[in-house]
Amino acid sequence: MVTGLKRIAFHKSGKPRRWLRSVVFRKDRTVRKMFERVVKKKNGQVRPNFSEWVISRDSGREISILPQNAPALNRPEAFLQSVLPLENMVGIWRHRADPTSLLDTDDLLKIISTSGQKARPLGRSDLLIAVSHDNYLENIGGIQICIQREQKLAAAKGFDYLQIHPWHAIPRLAHVDEDDDVIIGLVLNGNYVGACFTSSLIKSVKDLNQIGQRGTKLVIHQLMGHLTEQIAELAQHVDGRRCVFWLHDFFSLCPSATLLRNGLRFCDAPPVTSNSCGICKYGSERIHHEQRIEAFFGAVEVDVVSPSQVTADFWQMHCALPTASISIIPHIVLEETAPDISRHEENTQRGEKIRIGYLGAQVHQKGWHIFKHLMDDPSRPPNREFVVLSSGRPQMGEDLWKEVRVSANQPDAMAAAVEQTDVDIVVHWPTCFETFSLTTYEAFAGSAYVVTNAWSGNVADAVKRTGRGVVFENEAKLIEFFNTGLIEALVDQRRKQKDGARLRLVQSDLSYAILQEK
């Protein structure tokens, strides 16, 4: 009897089912008295199984329970309680102590001159300086994977690869009045070599130019945490006084790189004087941010690179920054290949089971809340299986989890996992405009279809271009799709197409496609 009740109230992972919320919690967000010991321990801490319904607040680490009558797919009121002012976020992010020692100009010249690539197919190797927001050896994400790949390609392309990132990662540009010489970490050819002031690197590059030892190129992947004024000065001492500037996100338009107002709603980059900016925590910062970005583009010859046409169109529509050129270079492209009959025969038959997948980090921005709602729906048909492919296991009721870690050394890991688990439909419901979306292409290469929303940027564009999925105008249409025979029709189409031509991922040359032209 107890086992049966537990099965009704909780998922296999131990997480409570959605209906339990109205039973355990009052409308005023407090726990009903009779369930206090169910939700909380003796010391008042919330038990892990109920942690997804609890959010931390800034002051005093106070906790509050999400309201039982909150909308199933969108809980802005509860979310906004956790929103911190931008400067509070900066203070939290700047928790790291300064490095115990810093490299000076002589140190840098010696390191750059003696730690070059062994293989130099083009003779003398040039130096490529890549600017980013964090250490790509320690963190993983779309930008970091691109930098990993660029660094791996460097030797074959005739470059030594020096990536620089702010020692203190912060969620906006650095301010001159708080830090007039940003400390940066340096990674040379995949090895961390130390930290220095940005001014020391600028002088080193200037000295390299004067002795004519090598050419120097500058690629900007992300300016967050840097002083634009210092990066512009650095650009004055590289070849052609120009740089490659990637549109991995929209940080060039707003300090909210994803254009999410207060981290919740896509704002569509309105004028800085708009009411939308007036109620956003990034609004006041955006005024100065725009001015500094404009000054940077005015001081440097900038070759803008967008990973998709839809991103380039959006960016050009919402700003008037001067550019030397603008190019479209996808991170990866899809190439059609012949059917792999042997692989198809290896796939086991699941009968009428439909596998619905989620790829990557379980975050609101990527639509985890939508996938979670579909998975938790107590009225969902019994022929649904929910699969999560990611580096960490969510343990929130998924039917299957497979560990997947994509890197420059394993670029096809996610596509292979989609194929191996035979996922039919991938739910990718981002809250923001995706400039590219690696997971969308990985889903296609794994023979899965993608369902997404109309505001997902290149996700929606890729789905429409390939015909491998469906784009919905709102969440109600998505729910209707999952609760009717529409999903069966799409899955049937996907399985028939799987028997035909397949798609494989082809890596692009990224920044080198531009650098070799200049």
Side-chain angles (χ1 to χ4, degrees):
M1 180 68 176
V2 174
T3 303
L5 287 174
K6 187 174 181 181
R7 188 175 300 155
I8 295 172
F10 295 87
H11 293 289
K12 288 184 288 186
S13 64
K15 292 292 181 181
R17 296 187 184 277
R18 183 173 296 276
W19 67 264
L20 196 60
R21 179 186 300 165
S22 60
V23 175
V24 175
F25 301 105
R26 303 186 187 95
K27 290 184 178 181
D28 64 357
R29 308 177 186 181
T30 58
V31 182
R32 298 184 191 276
K33 189 173 182 179
M34 66 182 297
F35 294 109
E36 284 280 351
R37 291 297 303 274
V38 175
V39 177
K40 299 179 181 180
K41 300 177 182 178
K42 288 183 179 180
N43 61 6
Q45 290 184 341
V46 177
R47 298 182 187 278
N49 286 349
F50 291 92
S51 61
E52 67 179 288
W53 293 345
V54 179
I55 57 175
S56 298
R57 299 184 68 177
D58 181 32
S59 57
R61 298 194 178 274
E62 179 185 350
I63 61 172
S64 72
I65 305 299
L66 297 181
Q68 64 89 24
N69 60 341
L73 299 185
N74 192 3
R75 297 171 290 188
E77 180 184 348
F79 182 87
L80 285 172
Q81 292 184 47
S82 65
V83 172
L84 303 180
L86 179 58
E87 292 311 306
N88 288 41
M89 291 173 58
V90 172
I92 292 172
W93 284 35
R94 289 182 65 96
H95 68 280
R96 191 180 185 188
D98 287 347
T100 54
S101 62
L102 294 171
L103 302 170
D104 59 23
T105 303
D106 291 338
D107 296 328
L108 291 170
L109 285 171
K110 182 178 180 180
I111 290 171
I112 294 172
S113 300
T114 61
S115 300
Q117 304 278 11
K118 293 180 180 179
R120 297 180 178 177
L122 304 182
R124 172 183 62 87
S125 65
D126 288 340
L127 178 67
L128 191 161
I129 301 175
V131 180
S132 187
H133 62 306
D134 64 10
N135 187 340
Y136 72 99
L137 300 178
E138 299 175 350
N139 303 294
I140 193 65
I143 296 178
Q144 293 89 340
I145 289 175
C146 287
I147 295 173
Q148 284 182 19
R149 285 182 47 213
E150 279 192 352
Q151 181 258 306
K152 189 176 181 181
L153 287 169
K157 300 296 183 180
F159 286 94
D160 285 320
Y161 196 90
L162 178 65
Q163 187 258 3
I164 67 173
H165 55 273
W167 180 265
H168 296 288
I170 57 175
R172 58 158 168 76
L173 291 172
H175 290 174
V176 176
D177 58 357
E178 70 182 3
D179 193 355
D180 61 357
D181 196 356
V182 174
I183 297 175
I184 53 176
L186 304 102
V187 180
L188 180 61
N189 298 329
N191 299 301
Y192 178 76
V193 294
C196 69
F197 287 115
T198 303
S199 60
S200 297
L201 176 65
I202 293 171
K203 188 176 186 309
S204 299
V205 173
K206 181 179 179 181
D207 291 347
L208 282 173
N209 284 345
Q210 289 177 345
I211 62 179
Q213 182 177 353
R214 56 169 57 180
T216 307
K217 309 290 186 182
L218 181 64
V219 174
I220 297 174
H221 287 283
Q222 175 53 270
L223 281 170
M224 191 178 292
H226 295 277
L227 285 173
T228 53
E229 296 78 8
Q230 284 194 308
I231 302 302
E233 185 180 356
L234 174 63
Q236 301 305 312
H237 303 293
V238 303
D239 296 357
R241 296 184 178 182
R242 67 194 301 157
C243 71
V244 172
F245 191 102
W246 276 91
L247 301 181
H248 292 301
D249 52 40
F250 296 113
F251 190 72
S252 52
L253 302 180
C254 177
S256 176
T258 56
L259 297 181
L260 291 178
R261 185 175 65 248
N262 290 317
L264 181 63
R265 293 283 191 184
F266 181 65
C267 67
D268 201 36
V272 73
T273 55
S274 68
N275 290 334
S276 182
C277 285
I279 63 173
C280 180
K281 67 180 180 180
Y282 296 99
S284 59
E285 174 68 20
R286 189 184 178 200
I287 297 173
H288 308 290
H289 182 92
E290 276 193 349
Q291 295 170 351
R292 296 175 68 191
I293 294 293
E294 185 177 352
F296 176 85
F297 272 72
V300 180
E301 289 289 305
V302 182
D303 295 304
V304 172
V305 177
S306 173
S308 66
Q309 184 64 58
V310 67
T311 296
D313 293 343
F314 180 91
W315 188 80
Q316 290 179 299
M317 186 184 304
H318 289 81
C319 76
L321 296 172
T323 63
S325 67
I326 183 163
S327 306
I328 312 299
I329 302 178
H331 300 153
I332 51 179
V333 295
L334 296 167
E335 184 177 273
E336 196 170 275
T337 64
D340 187 341
I341 300 176
S342 61
R343 183 179 295 183
H344 176 67
E345 290 175 346
E346 291 174 1
N347 290 330
T348 59
Q349 294 296 320
R350 299 194 313 275
E352 297 301 317
K353 291 287 187 180
I354 294 175
R355 280 195 171 167
I356 302 161
Y358 181 91
L359 315 184
Q362 298 102 45
V363 294
H364 184 91
Q365 181 180 317
K366 299 294 185 180
W368 170 252
H369 59 298
I370 299 294
F371 182 83
K372 184 73 169 59
H373 170 75
L374 297 170
M375 185 169 61
D376 288 348
D377 187 353
S379 63
R380 82 185 202 198
N383 69 333
R384 308 285 197 267
E385 289 184 343
F386 287 81
V387 180
V388 178
L389 306 177
S390 62
S391 59
R393 184 166 194 169
Q395 292 188 322
M396 290 188 177
E398 66 277 3
D399 297 294
L400 174 65
W401 169 77
K402 183 178 179 63
E403 183 177 10
V404 182
R405 296 181 184 274
V406 177
S407 67
N409 294 324
Q410 293 182 305
D412 299 328
M414 184 63 78
V418 173
E419 174 71 29
Q420 290 162 7
T421 54
D422 204 13
V423 170
D424 290 299
I425 302 291
V426 167
V427 177
H428 187 28
W429 196 271
T431 56
C432 61
F433 185 113
E434 291 270 24
T435 59
F436 187 72
S437 180
L438 288 169
T439 55
T440 296
Y441 288 75
E442 290 163 341
F444 293 155
S447 297
Y449 274 20
V450 174
V451 296
T452 190
N453 55 59
W455 56 88
S456 59
N458 195 51
V459 183
D461 190 66
V463 169
K464 292 175 182 177
R465 282 187 287 104
T466 62
R468 293 173 179 257
V470 62
V471 178
F472 295 107
E473 293 298 323
N474 53 52
E475 294 160 355
K477 293 291 185 181
L478 175 71
I479 298 301
E480 179 186 357
F481 169 78
F482 271 89
N483 291 341
T484 64
L486 294 174
I487 188 173
E488 277 81 4
L490 187 67
V491 169
D492 184 58
Q493 177 185 332
R494 173 257 171 186
R495 292 180 179 176
K496 288 178 179 177
Q497 188 172 46
K498 186 180 178 184
D499 293 336
R502 306 181 65 82
L503 299 176
R504 73 181 184 93
L505 301 175
V506 179
Q507 309 290 328
S508 74
D509 280 345
L510 297 171
S511 299
Y512 301 111
I514 295 295
L515 295 174
Q516 291 168 344
E517 294 177 358
K518 305 301 178 183

PDB file of all heavy atoms in Angstrom, residues 404-423:
ATOM      1  N   VAL A 404      26.907  12.762 -21.496  1.00  0.00           N
ATOM      2  CA  VAL A 404      27.467  13.230 -22.767  1.00  0.00           C
ATOM      3  C   VAL A 404      28.296  14.480 -22.489  1.00  0.00           C
ATOM      4  O   VAL A 404      27.822  15.421 -21.849  1.00  0.00           O
ATOM      5  CB  VAL A 404      26.366  13.580 -23.794  1.00  0.00           C
ATOM      6  CG1 VAL A 404      27.006  14.007 -25.118  1.00  0.00           C
ATOM      7  CG2 VAL A 404      25.436  12.399 -24.009  1.00  0.00           C
ATOM      8  N   ARG A 405      29.520  14.500 -22.975  1.00  0.00           N
ATOM      9  CA  ARG A 405      30.399  15.658 -22.838  1.00  0.00           C
ATOM     10  C   ARG A 405      30.987  15.984 -24.215  1.00  0.00           C
ATOM     11  O   ARG A 405      31.815  15.239 -24.735  1.00  0.00           O
ATOM     12  CB  ARG A 405      31.515  15.386 -21.832  1.00  0.00           C
ATOM     13  CG  ARG A 405      31.007  15.156 -20.412  1.00  0.00           C
ATOM     14  CD  ARG A 405      32.137  14.901 -19.425  1.00  0.00           C
ATOM     15  NE  ARG A 405      31.641  14.593 -18.102  1.00  0.00           N
ATOM     16  CZ  ARG A 405      31.322  15.510 -17.190  1.00  0.00           C
ATOM     17  NH1 ARG A 405      31.486  16.797 -17.474  1.00  0.00           N
ATOM     18  NH2 ARG A 405      30.862  15.147 -15.991  1.00  0.00           N
ATOM     19  N   VAL A 406      30.546  17.092 -24.767  1.00  0.00           N
ATOM     20  CA  VAL A 406      31.026  17.519 -26.081  1.00  0.00           C
ATOM     21  C   VAL A 406      32.272  18.385 -25.884  1.00  0.00           C
ATOM     22  O   VAL A 406      32.332  19.225 -24.990  1.00  0.00           O
ATOM     23  CB  VAL A 406      29.945  18.333 -26.821  1.00  0.00           C
ATOM     24  CG1 VAL A 406      30.470  18.839 -28.162  1.00  0.00           C
ATOM     25  CG2 VAL A 406      28.709  17.475 -27.028  1.00  0.00           C
ATOM     26  N   SER A 407      33.278  18.177 -26.710  1.00  0.00           N
ATOM     27  CA  SER A 407      34.499  18.976 -26.669  1.00  0.00           C
ATOM     28  C   SER A 407      35.112  18.983 -28.063  1.00  0.00           C
ATOM     29  O   SER A 407      34.616  18.318 -28.981  1.00  0.00           O
ATOM     30  CB  SER A 407      35.492  18.391 -25.657  1.00  0.00           C
ATOM     31  OG  SER A 407      35.973  17.121 -26.096  1.00  0.00           O
ATOM     32  N   ALA A 408      36.202  19.723 -28.206  1.00  0.00           N
ATOM     33  CA  ALA A 408      36.901  19.742 -29.492  1.00  0.00           C
ATOM     34  C   ALA A 408      37.425  18.354 -29.843  1.00  0.00           C
ATOM     35  O   ALA A 408      37.552  18.015 -31.023  1.00  0.00           O
ATOM     36  CB  ALA A 408      38.049  20.740 -29.446  1.00  0.00           C
ATOM     37  N   ASN A 409      37.723  17.540 -28.827  1.00  0.00           N
ATOM     38  CA  ASN A 409      38.207  16.183 -29.068  1.00  0.00           C
ATOM     39  C   ASN A 409      37.071  15.195 -29.327  1.00  0.00           C
ATOM     40  O   ASN A 409      37.284  14.130 -29.894  1.00  0.00           O
ATOM     41  CB  ASN A 409      39.033  15.705 -27.866  1.00  0.00           C
ATOM     42  CG  ASN A 409      40.316  16.498 -27.700  1.00  0.00           C
ATOM     43  OD1 ASN A 409      40.943  16.894 -28.687  1.00  0.00           O
ATOM     44  ND2 ASN A 409      40.696  16.770 -26.464  1.00  0.00           N
ATOM     45  N   GLN A 410      35.862  15.550 -28.900  1.00  0.00           N
ATOM     46  CA  GLN A 410      34.687  14.703 -29.126  1.00  0.00           C
ATOM     47  C   GLN A 410      33.543  15.563 -29.656  1.00  0.00           C
ATOM     48  O   GLN A 410      32.502  15.711 -29.007  1.00  0.00           O
ATOM     49  CB  GLN A 410      34.272  14.013 -27.820  1.00  0.00           C
ATOM     50  CG  GLN A 410      35.272  12.984 -27.313  1.00  0.00           C
ATOM     51  CD  GLN A 410      34.783  12.310 -26.040  1.00  0.00           C
ATOM     52  OE1 GLN A 410      34.466  12.953 -25.046  1.00  0.00           O
ATOM     53  NE2 GLN A 410      34.685  10.985 -26.094  1.00  0.00           N
ATOM     54  N   PRO A 411      33.710  16.141 -30.837  1.00  0.00           N
ATOM     55  CA  PRO A 411      32.695  17.068 -31.348  1.00  0.00           C
ATOM     56  C   PRO A 411      31.373  16.405 -31.713  1.00  0.00           C
ATOM     57  O   PRO A 411      30.333  17.065 -31.750  1.00  0.00           O
ATOM     58  CB  PRO A 411      33.366  17.653 -32.595  1.00  0.00           C
ATOM     59  CG  PRO A 411      34.338  16.604 -33.036  1.00  0.00           C
ATOM     60  CD  PRO A 411      34.835  15.977 -31.772  1.00  0.00           C
ATOM     61  N   ASP A 412      31.389  15.094 -31.970  1.00  0.00           N
ATOM     62  CA  ASP A 412      30.176  14.395 -32.379  1.00  0.00           C
ATOM     63  C   ASP A 412      29.524  13.614 -31.241  1.00  0.00           C
ATOM     64  O   ASP A 412      28.628  12.800 -31.484  1.00  0.00           O
ATOM     65  CB  ASP A 412      30.498  13.425 -33.528  1.00  0.00           C
ATOM     66  CG  ASP A 412      31.030  14.144 -34.752  1.00  0.00           C
ATOM     67  OD1 ASP A 412      30.615  15.299 -34.982  1.00  0.00           O
ATOM     68  OD2 ASP A 412      31.858  13.557 -35.477  1.00  0.00           O
ATOM     69  N   ALA A 413      29.954  13.863 -30.002  1.00  0.00           N
ATOM     70  CA  ALA A 413      29.471  13.061 -28.873  1.00  0.00           C
ATOM     71  C   ALA A 413      27.960  13.156 -28.699  1.00  0.00           C
ATOM     72  O   ALA A 413      27.288  12.147 -28.464  1.00  0.00           O
ATOM     73  CB  ALA A 413      30.180  13.502 -27.585  1.00  0.00           C
ATOM     74  N   MET A 414      27.404  14.357 -28.814  1.00  0.00           N
ATOM     75  CA  MET A 414      25.962  14.515 -28.600  1.00  0.00           C
ATOM     76  C   MET A 414      25.168  13.890 -29.746  1.00  0.00           C
ATOM     77  O   MET A 414      24.162  13.197 -29.512  1.00  0.00           O
ATOM     78  CB  MET A 414      25.597  15.987 -28.453  1.00  0.00           C
ATOM     79  CG  MET A 414      24.124  16.233 -28.128  1.00  0.00           C
ATOM     80  SD  MET A 414      23.613  15.532 -26.537  1.00  0.00           S
ATOM     81  CE  MET A 414      24.282  16.759 -25.405  1.00  0.00           C
ATOM     82  N   ALA A 415      25.597  14.116 -30.982  1.00  0.00           N
ATOM     83  CA  ALA A 415      24.905  13.529 -32.126  1.00  0.00           C
ATOM     84  C   ALA A 415      24.904  12.005 -32.028  1.00  0.00           C
ATOM     85  O   ALA A 415      23.891  11.349 -32.317  1.00  0.00           O
ATOM     86  CB  ALA A 415      25.557  13.983 -33.431  1.00  0.00           C
ATOM     87  N   ALA A 416      26.035  11.449 -31.603  1.00  0.00           N
ATOM     88  CA  ALA A 416      26.130   9.992 -31.463  1.00  0.00           C
ATOM     89  C   ALA A 416      25.193   9.490 -30.363  1.00  0.00           C
ATOM     90  O   ALA A 416      24.561   8.437 -30.505  1.00  0.00           O
ATOM     91  CB  ALA A 416      27.571   9.589 -31.148  1.00  0.00           C
ATOM     92  N   ALA A 417      25.078  10.255 -29.271  1.00  0.00           N
ATOM     93  CA  ALA A 417      24.204   9.850 -28.171  1.00  0.00           C
ATOM     94  C   ALA A 417      22.732   9.904 -28.586  1.00  0.00           C
ATOM     95  O   ALA A 417      21.944   9.034 -28.201  1.00  0.00           O
ATOM     96  CB  ALA A 417      24.437  10.751 -26.964  1.00  0.00           C
ATOM     97  N   VAL A 418      22.356  10.898 -29.376  1.00  0.00           N
ATOM     98  CA  VAL A 418      20.988  10.988 -29.887  1.00  0.00           C
ATOM     99  C   VAL A 418      20.684   9.771 -30.751  1.00  0.00           C
ATOM    100  O   VAL A 418      19.619   9.155 -30.661  1.00  0.00           O
ATOM    101  CB  VAL A 418      20.782  12.288 -30.692  1.00  0.00           C
ATOM    102  CG1 VAL A 418      19.416  12.300 -31.366  1.00  0.00           C
ATOM    103  CG2 VAL A 418      20.931  13.516 -29.799  1.00  0.00           C
ATOM    104  N   GLU A 419      21.643   9.415 -31.583  1.00  0.00           N
ATOM    105  CA  GLU A 419      21.491   8.249 -32.455  1.00  0.00           C
ATOM    106  C   GLU A 419      21.383   6.958 -31.647  1.00  0.00           C
ATOM    107  O   GLU A 419      20.507   6.114 -31.888  1.00  0.00           O
ATOM    108  CB  GLU A 419      22.685   8.169 -33.400  1.00  0.00           C
ATOM    109  CG  GLU A 419      22.745   6.924 -34.266  1.00  0.00           C
ATOM    110  CD  GLU A 419      21.684   6.928 -35.349  1.00  0.00           C
ATOM    111  OE1 GLU A 419      21.298   8.029 -35.786  1.00  0.00           O
ATOM    112  OE2 GLU A 419      21.231   5.837 -35.740  1.00  0.00           O
ATOM    113  N   GLN A 420      22.276   6.807 -30.660  1.00  0.00           N
ATOM    114  CA  GLN A 420      22.326   5.568 -29.875  1.00  0.00           C
ATOM    115  C   GLN A 420      21.074   5.359 -29.032  1.00  0.00           C
ATOM    116  O   GLN A 420      20.624   4.222 -28.844  1.00  0.00           O
ATOM    117  CB  GLN A 420      23.572   5.580 -28.990  1.00  0.00           C
ATOM    118  CG  GLN A 420      24.878   5.446 -29.765  1.00  0.00           C
ATOM    119  CD  GLN A 420      26.090   5.881 -28.954  1.00  0.00           C
ATOM    120  OE1 GLN A 420      25.990   6.160 -27.758  1.00  0.00           O
ATOM    121  NE2 GLN A 420      27.247   5.938 -29.606  1.00  0.00           N
ATOM    122  N   THR A 421      20.522   6.437 -28.511  1.00  0.00           N
ATOM    123  CA  THR A 421      19.313   6.319 -27.689  1.00  0.00           C
ATOM    124  C   THR A 421      18.042   6.368 -28.524  1.00  0.00           C
ATOM    125  O   THR A 421      16.941   6.233 -27.999  1.00  0.00           O
ATOM    126  CB  THR A 421      19.270   7.435 -26.626  1.00  0.00           C
ATOM    127  OG1 THR A 421      19.421   8.705 -27.266  1.00  0.00           O
ATOM    128  CG2 THR A 421      20.365   7.248 -25.596  1.00  0.00           C
ATOM    129  N   ASP A 422      18.200   6.586 -29.831  1.00  0.00           N
ATOM    130  CA  ASP A 422      17.083   6.570 -30.773  1.00  0.00           C
ATOM    131  C   ASP A 422      15.984   7.561 -30.359  1.00  0.00           C
ATOM    132  O   ASP A 422      14.794   7.216 -30.310  1.00  0.00           O
ATOM    133  CB  ASP A 422      16.510   5.168 -30.897  1.00  0.00           C
ATOM    134  CG  ASP A 422      15.787   4.960 -32.239  1.00  0.00           C
ATOM    135  OD1 ASP A 422      15.961   5.812 -33.133  1.00  0.00           O
ATOM    136  OD2 ASP A 422      15.049   3.970 -32.366  1.00  0.00           O
ATOM    137  N   VAL A 423      16.398   8.792 -30.070  1.00  0.00           N
ATOM    138  CA  VAL A 423      15.446   9.839 -29.706  1.00  0.00           C
ATOM    139  C   VAL A 423      14.640  10.237 -30.937  1.00  0.00           C
ATOM    140  O   VAL A 423      15.198  10.448 -32.020  1.00  0.00           O
ATOM    141  CB  VAL A 423      16.190  11.067 -29.128  1.00  0.00           C
ATOM    142  CG1 VAL A 423      15.242  12.250 -28.970  1.00  0.00           C
ATOM    143  CG2 VAL A 423      16.840  10.710 -27.792  1.00  0.00           C
TER     144      VAL A 423
END
